[in-house]
Amino acid sequence: MTIRCDEEVQHSLKQRIFDELLPFVAKPGRYIGNEFNMIRKSPAEYDTRVALVFPDVYEVGMSYMGFPILYHLLNRQPRVYAERAFAPWLDMAEQMRSKAVPLFSLETFTPLADFDVVGFTLQYELHYTSIVDLIDLAGLPLRALERQHGPLVIGGGPSVFNPEPVAEFFDLLVIGDGEEALPEVVAAVQRAKQGTWSRQALLQACAQIPGVYVPQFYQPHYAPSGAFAGLIPSSSGIPERIRARIVSTLDANNYPGRPLVPVISTTHDRVSLEIARGCSRGCRFCNAGMIYRPVRQRSVADLTAQAVANIDHTGYDEVSLVSLSTSDYEELEALLTQLQAQLGPRMVNLSFPSLRPEKFTPQLARFAKGVRKSGLTLAPEAGTQRLRDVINKTTTAEDLLRAVDLAFREGWRLVKLYFMIGQPTETDQDLEGMIELIHQVVALGRRHHGVKINVSVSPFIPKAITPFQWVAQDPPQETRRKIELVRSRTRDRAVKVSWRDAEVAEIEGVLARGDRRLAPVILHAWRSGSRLEGWSEHFSYENWQQGLRAQQLTAAQFTGGYADDAALPWDHLEKGVTKKFLRDEYQRALGQAVTNDCREADCNRCGLMGQPLCQEIIDRDRIEAPAEKTEQALEMPRGELLPRPHEGIWVRLHYSRGEEMRWISHLDFIHVFERAMRRARWPVVYSEGFNPHPRMSFGPPLPTGYTSRAEYLDIQLAEADPEWLIASLAQQLPGGVSPGKILPTPRKPRALGDVIDSAEYGIHWPVQPWPDDMAARIDGLLQQTELEAVRQKAGEAARRVDIRPYIKNISVQNRRLHVISHIDHGKSVRMDEIINLLFPLQSDRVRMARYERIALWITQAGVPCSPLDVAATMKNLD
């Protein structure tokens, strides 16, 4: 069924990527894997291999909550190896295509075509062109019907509740929660391999798995007018409707105790703790609130145990409490108390996503006094109470203003407000109400010095399986008018207004409620260059317009709304929330009637009454009325006092950075090292003040793409046992970093960046011939009294620098260049600048060179000494 690459071939592909592709891309760290806690297996020992693919760049995909759960679950299955892949940035995709390198996994650098299952996350409609691009990069036929061999291409995630625009590209889709369904699909693949089933036989078997949708077994039908008329199974034995999978409990065993720790910065560099799934508030615009029903909460004990284990094994200094409505978690105060007791003494902060203003209490604010206050996010969504009633948003203006005032009084300097425009029944009076509410928030802010208000305005996009799935979406010109009205009336130095583009919103709306007629439109956009469209700079409205015109379609056919008795492209998919409930909620919206949270009132009969949690709520309401909650002050346990700066011992560490870490930037490496020290439980001394950080000092930054034998770090510790420090750290460092020796110093040393004054480098070309005239080139360069290099930082003008004073000597030893450079308080020459001057107009010589830092020196009494020797001298003198 698949073609296997042996480990030698995989190593060869990895070496090609490192040597021939990464020198030519802007952020090579995205493509190297090597994360701490990465699961490493021998592929030959596992008969079923799954590639989990996120259709956006590494930094975004690694921050997605569902990814680590599925990675962990699948790798626990017998004889299964799950690996990961992400969308390359445009520069990397160009290199891959030009050099015939297929899309590969980060664990073993195996081409995705050699896997048994390639599973995509459908997180966002504007990822669809990237999904097509990744299938193509993997070397697979784009449409499922064209794939007679090779891996199954499957999908799952929130957008699968209307997957029809991309249905033709997938062999199957998992609808709903994947924790149970995905392992069942993989088990079917294992049985198919053992029994040598045909591809059709495997798909037939998968179609019988609850929650699995095989698009090719369903045929769309259209009315004479061209309107969608329904999907009909094309063969017997295929279910007419697919019921979404729902896991009844959030099993603690499904969450990894050792999450992956990236070696580059990601969107969310922290532990993400899913405290609950689902929301019962019933906001009528909210797709997530409907498709993730019912609410399932995890216990305080399970959450505390996971948080502690995750901090132990990652070294992160922040835990984010994640759910659709964190402030609705019923045991929030008890959870916060437990987490603070366990993690507060370890300098771990807790953070929250958007909070409901009515739930932002003085108790919660007092707890958050120990948290870094980067900003408090509140989402009133609409500007008037009338419109908030329409959308079933229970927040009042008074709730919002009270929460903002409390936040400013408790030390927050930034408040972020989220609004939507274009919601059903909205008028300009509602926009005037939004403007007035923003002005009232600004007025509150003026009572507190130095505060800022960020306002985000998003066009409303109707989504499937919501009470507003039938309504029309504002056209772009109306969206632009409304945005301009809000923007022009909220000009204030304290306010920053941002918004989503009207054209982006329109295309998202087309894809959110479209049908299979959009598949060729997606292909047209992709072939015209559209990909990575979650990034605004890569979105092309014209590509989509051309694609629609080519199919004789218009955006309005999909954004103009549906009659409430019309066939909908997603009618064959059942979440469990009934169409009757959604239709009734729509009518209640038109009547401005509020539907109460079913956890705080009677069951709303949404269709999920048979779910265990819903039964618990119904039974509880039958037995007794909910007890009235009383606010209690949240007692904050005191953490251990950290050592004061004058109490610590300074030590100097020598370490090396090898091949696996040469594509990591200096700033990213600092984070890697800090997390390793936290995992090793080094007794690090922190600075004082509002935002404590480890008291440490690195040597001169190592440029990205260099290896090094001579890296140094000074750090202050509460106590220092050199043998234990080295042993504990070595176990916690990712591949490619090796600690050497550590020496205590009798006092705080001068910053390494100030005292290191020379360096030695080696340069060679492993895949390019050695030039015969190298000696002549070096002589010509060293005879110059001035050598000009051009340097430019992002967002700054280019500047010319004379680098000749920083070049001490260049020599050749065994077909390697050896360079001795001078360093003046951090200022020096880059080796690539020297190569650029030696080989003008030969950019490949610069990029394909291998650079190694061999030594760093501190001159004492005219003699160059290593930083470790200097530390030893300090100790002996004292």
Side-chain angles (χ1 to χ4, degrees):
M1 187 172 177
T2 60
I3 302 169
R4 292 293 182 204
C5 277
D6 60 28
E7 294 185 12
E8 183 178 339
V9 173
Q10 293 162 11
H11 177 76
S12 174
L13 179 60
K14 176 181 177 181
Q15 205 60 51
R16 281 193 62 205
I17 291 165
F18 274 55
D19 289 343
E20 300 177 29
L21 277 69
L22 299 190
F24 296 90
V25 303
K27 291 188 177 180
R30 290 168 166 158
Y31 313 107
I32 66 171
N34 196 37
E35 299 97 333
F36 195 78
N37 294 329
M38 186 176 79
I39 296 174
R40 302 174 189 269
K41 302 179 180 180
S42 173
E45 299 175 8
Y46 294 84
D47 58 20
T48 306
R49 299 181 66 187
V50 180
L52 298 173
V53 187
F54 195 88
D56 209 326
V57 294
Y58 177 90
E59 302 95 302
V60 176
M62 282 299 291
S63 300
Y64 174 56
M65 170 67 74
F67 227 57
I69 294 174
L70 297 179
Y71 183 73
H72 168 68
L73 274 174
L74 289 175
N75 277 307
R76 289 190 344 192
Q77 305 302 309
R79 302 195 63 80
V80 175
Y81 189 7
E83 305 181 45
R84 297 159 300 125
F86 301 88
W89 195 249
L90 297 185
D91 55 358
M92 183 64 169
E94 181 182 355
Q95 289 292 318
M96 292 168 69
R97 284 192 165 97
S98 67
K99 295 172 181 175
V101 172
L103 188 63
F104 55 88
S105 68
L106 292 185
E107 277 73 8
T108 61
F109 295 87
T110 300
L112 261 61
D114 292 338
F115 282 78
D116 299 294
V117 177
V118 174
F120 285 92
T121 299
L122 276 70
Q123 176 72 10
Y124 175 43
E125 290 83 358
L126 288 179
H127 283 158
Y128 290 169
T129 51
S130 290
I131 289 173
V132 173
D133 193 51
L134 294 174
I135 295 173
D136 181 70
L137 266 177
L140 301 173
L142 298 180
R143 286 185 166 91
L145 287 175
E146 299 168 351
R147 292 192 291 268
Q148 300 304 313
H149 306 283
L152 288 185
V153 177
I154 74 174
S159 293
V160 297
F161 284 91
N162 179 29
E164 292 310 297
V166 289
E168 292 183 11
F169 308 123
F170 287 94
D171 293 298
L172 64 84
L173 295 144
V174 175
I175 313 300
D177 294 330
E179 287 97 325
E180 296 169 350
L182 184 55
E184 290 172 17
V185 170
V186 173
V189 172
Q190 289 178 309
R191 292 195 300 273
K193 294 180 67 176
Q194 293 166 1
T196 63
W197 298 357
S198 69
R199 193 179 189 88
Q200 280 297 300
L202 171 58
L203 291 173
Q204 288 277 354
C206 288
Q208 306 308 314
I209 298 173
V212 171
Y213 168 42
V214 182
Q216 62 186 266
F217 293 159
Y218 298 79
Q219 296 303 315
H221 291 262
Y222 298 91
S225 64
F228 176 81
L231 279 174
I232 300 176
S234 59
S235 61
S236 61
I238 302 300
E240 290 187 8
R241 299 170 73 83
I242 297 93
R243 184 70 177 258
R245 292 293 288 268
I246 299 174
V247 293
S248 58
T249 59
L250 302 180
D251 189 340
N253 292 322
N254 291 346
Y255 296 87
R258 296 173 175 265
L260 294 168
V261 186
V263 292
I264 67 169
S265 295
T266 62
T267 305
H268 300 309
D269 277 327
R270 61 198 183 205
V271 168
S272 292
L273 194 67
E274 186 181 29
I275 66 172
R277 189 177 302 174
C279 178
S280 55
R281 287 282 172 174
C283 297
R284 292 171 177 136
F285 59 84
C286 184
N287 173 253
M290 296 296 166
I291 67 174
Y292 287 116
R293 287 189 173 201
V295 176
R296 290 142 291 171
Q297 297 190 146
R298 300 176 61 196
S299 71
V300 170
D302 281 354
L303 291 168
T304 303
Q306 183 192 337
V308 171
N310 286 176
I311 290 298
D312 283 345
H313 295 119
T314 64
Y316 281 125
D317 60 1
E318 182 178 341
V319 174
S320 177
L321 307 184
V322 179
S323 79
L324 290 176
S325 183
T326 296
S327 48
D328 284 336
Y329 179 74
E330 292 176 346
E331 297 183 87
L332 184 60
E333 291 190 3
L335 175 62
L336 295 177
T337 302
Q338 286 294 319
L339 291 178
Q340 178 64 17
Q342 295 288 333
L343 303 178
R346 298 172 62 177
M347 300 296 288
V348 175
N349 293 282
L350 303 180
S351 63
F352 313 94
S354 173
L355 294 173
R356 294 185 180 278
E358 62 269 34
K359 290 292 188 87
F360 185 60
T361 63
Q363 288 75 23
L364 187 57
R366 279 197 290 272
F367 167 82
K369 280 189 175 183
V371 178
R372 296 179 189 139
K373 299 179 180 65
S374 59
L376 180 68
T377 301
L378 304 169
E381 308 293 2
T384 63
Q385 193 59 51
R386 183 201 73 81
L387 190 54
R388 286 192 290 274
D389 289 344
V390 168
I391 65 175
N392 210 46
K393 185 79 175 182
T394 56
T395 299
T396 66
E398 291 74 19
D399 289 331
L400 177 69
L401 295 173
R402 180 199 56 78
V404 170
D405 185 54
L406 175 60
F408 287 151
R409 285 190 284 109
E410 293 292 345
W412 272 268
R413 314 314 299 164
L414 171 65
V415 166
K416 307 170 188 177
L417 305 179
Y418 283 89
F419 290 95
M420 283 193 295
I421 57 172
Q423 300 181 92
T425 78
E426 181 182 76
T427 68
D428 280 7
Q429 286 184 326
D430 297 302
L431 299 179
E432 293 288 347
M434 181 192 303
I435 294 165
E436 175 58 26
L437 192 55
I438 293 170
H439 288 163
Q440 292 179 45
V441 171
V442 171
L444 279 176
R446 289 203 174 100
R447 302 178 190 173
H448 306 272
H449 179 70
V451 301
K452 296 180 180 179
I453 297 103
N454 286 358
V455 175
S456 176
V457 180
S458 295
F460 167 62
I461 300 168
K463 294 290 177 85
I465 313 184
T466 68
F468 292 160
Q469 65 183 356
W470 293 279
V471 305
Q473 180 178 340
D474 277 352
Q477 60 270 25
E478 177 66 359
T479 298
R480 285 193 295 270
R481 183 191 72 81
K482 291 179 177 180
I483 289 172
E484 179 56 27
L485 174 62
V486 174
R487 190 186 67 82
S488 65
R489 298 278 300 283
T490 52
R491 289 194 173 103
D492 190 287
R493 292 179 62 184
V495 179
K496 176 184 177 183
V497 179
S498 60
W499 58 91
R500 290 193 71 209
D501 289 342
E503 290 77 15
V504 172
E506 181 183 59
I507 298 306
E508 183 181 338
V510 167
L511 296 172
R513 293 190 293 171
D515 54 51
R516 294 195 189 182
R517 290 174 292 175
L518 291 175
V521 178
I522 294 169
L523 285 174
H524 178 97
W526 169 67
R527 288 177 176 136
S528 300
S530 292
R531 50 189 53 79
L532 291 175
E533 293 185 289
W535 301 79
S536 58
E537 63 266 36
H538 298 315
F539 176 79
S540 171
Y541 188 50
E542 180 59 28
N543 287 350
W544 289 99
Q545 287 182 309
Q546 289 177 0
L548 288 165
R549 286 195 295 267
Q551 299 301 312
Q552 298 182 337
L553 298 171
T554 66
Q557 288 175 258
F558 305 99
T559 62
Y562 291 93
D564 66 0
D565 60 350
L568 302 174
W570 52 92
D571 275 346
H572 59 299
L573 305 177
E574 291 186 355
K575 165 60 194 177
V577 177
T578 66
K579 204 169 184 179
K580 179 184 182 302
F581 171 77
L582 298 176
R583 189 180 286 112
D584 290 347
E585 278 295 289
Y586 179 38
Q587 293 303 317
R588 288 176 65 80
L590 296 179
Q592 300 172 34
V594 172
T595 299
N596 292 323
D597 185 333
C598 62
R599 288 195 289 171
E600 298 176 357
D602 291 337
C603 171
N604 293 316
R605 321 301 292 183
C606 72
L608 291 168
M609 294 80 72
Q611 289 294 317
L613 181 70
C614 295
Q615 280 295 311
E616 289 177 17
I617 294 172
I618 293 169
D619 293 342
R620 182 185 65 194
D621 291 342
R622 286 174 181 160
I623 296 169
E624 60 180 355
E628 192 171 316
K629 291 186 177 181
T630 58
E631 286 193 350
Q632 298 179 350
L634 186 59
E635 293 296 328
M636 300 307 304
R638 292 184 174 274
E640 301 170 3
L641 290 176
L642 292 169
R644 297 300 181 191
H646 65 272
E647 297 174 353
I649 301 169
W650 283 92
V651 299
R652 178 163 292 170
L653 171 69
H654 165 251
Y655 61 95
S656 61
R657 287 178 56 179
E659 176 72 11
E660 295 288 340
M661 293 297 288
R662 71 180 174 111
W663 294 114
I664 302 302
S665 72
H666 177 67
L667 181 59
D668 283 333
F669 184 78
I670 290 176
H671 297 319
V672 167
F673 213 96
E674 288 179 346
R675 290 167 191 153
M677 289 189 298
R678 292 177 68 90
R679 291 192 298 269
R681 305 299 289 268
W682 274 23
V684 176
V685 173
Y686 284 77
S687 64
E688 298 177 301
F690 177 70
N691 188 14
H693 58 272
R695 292 174 61 85
M696 56 197 298
S697 168
F698 282 85
L702 186 69
T704 303
Y706 289 37
T707 58
S708 176
R709 306 180 208 170
E711 296 300 293
Y712 296 91
L713 163 71
D714 290 339
I715 184 166
Q716 190 178 21
L717 305 173
E719 54 186 358
D721 175 348
E723 184 175 342
W724 177 85
L725 290 171
I726 290 293
S728 62
L729 183 64
Q731 295 176 1
Q732 303 301 329
L733 288 169
V737 188
S738 300
K741 189 175 181 180
I742 194 166
L743 286 178
T745 62
R747 57 186 179 276
K748 179 182 178 181
R750 289 180 59 193
L752 285 165
D754 290 338
V755 296
I756 291 175
D757 54 24
S758 61
E760 180 181 355
Y761 293 89
I763 307 168
H764 71 290
W765 288 267
V767 296
Q768 287 182 312
W770 180 263
D772 294 332
D773 61 347
M774 181 66 85
R777 291 174 183 269
I778 294 172
D779 289 342
L781 192 72
L782 293 179
Q783 288 175 10
Q784 304 297 313
T785 57
E786 291 185 6
L787 293 170
E788 189 178 84
V790 177
R791 295 178 179 174
Q792 185 172 15
K793 293 182 179 180
E796 297 182 7
R799 58 191 181 92
R800 300 182 182 278
V801 178
D802 179 16
I803 61 173
R804 184 62 183 90
Y806 302 109
I807 302 174
K808 288 186 171 182
N809 187 45
I810 305 175
S811 61
V812 175
Q813 300 176 23
N814 298 322
R815 293 189 170 237
R816 291 173 64 98
L817 286 183
H818 276 251
V819 179
I820 306 296
S821 67
H822 171 63
I823 304 173
D824 182 9
H825 292 83
K827 297 178 182 178
S828 190
V829 58
R830 288 178 57 106
M831 296 303 103
D832 50 288
E833 292 173 333
I834 294 175
I835 303 304
N836 191 49
L837 292 172
L838 284 172
F839 300 95
L841 305 178
Q842 296 185 40
S843 60
D844 278 9
R845 273 286 175 188
V846 178
R847 294 180 181 272
M848 301 294 282
R850 295 292 297 274
Y851 304 97
E852 181 185 33
R853 181 185 279 170
I854 298 172
L856 291 171
W857 309 103
I858 300 172
T859 302
Q860 289 195 328
V863 178
C865 304
S866 79
L868 276 183
D869 289 340
V870 171
T873 302
M874 291 171 58
K875 184 176 180 180
N876 292 335
L877 288 175
D878 279 41

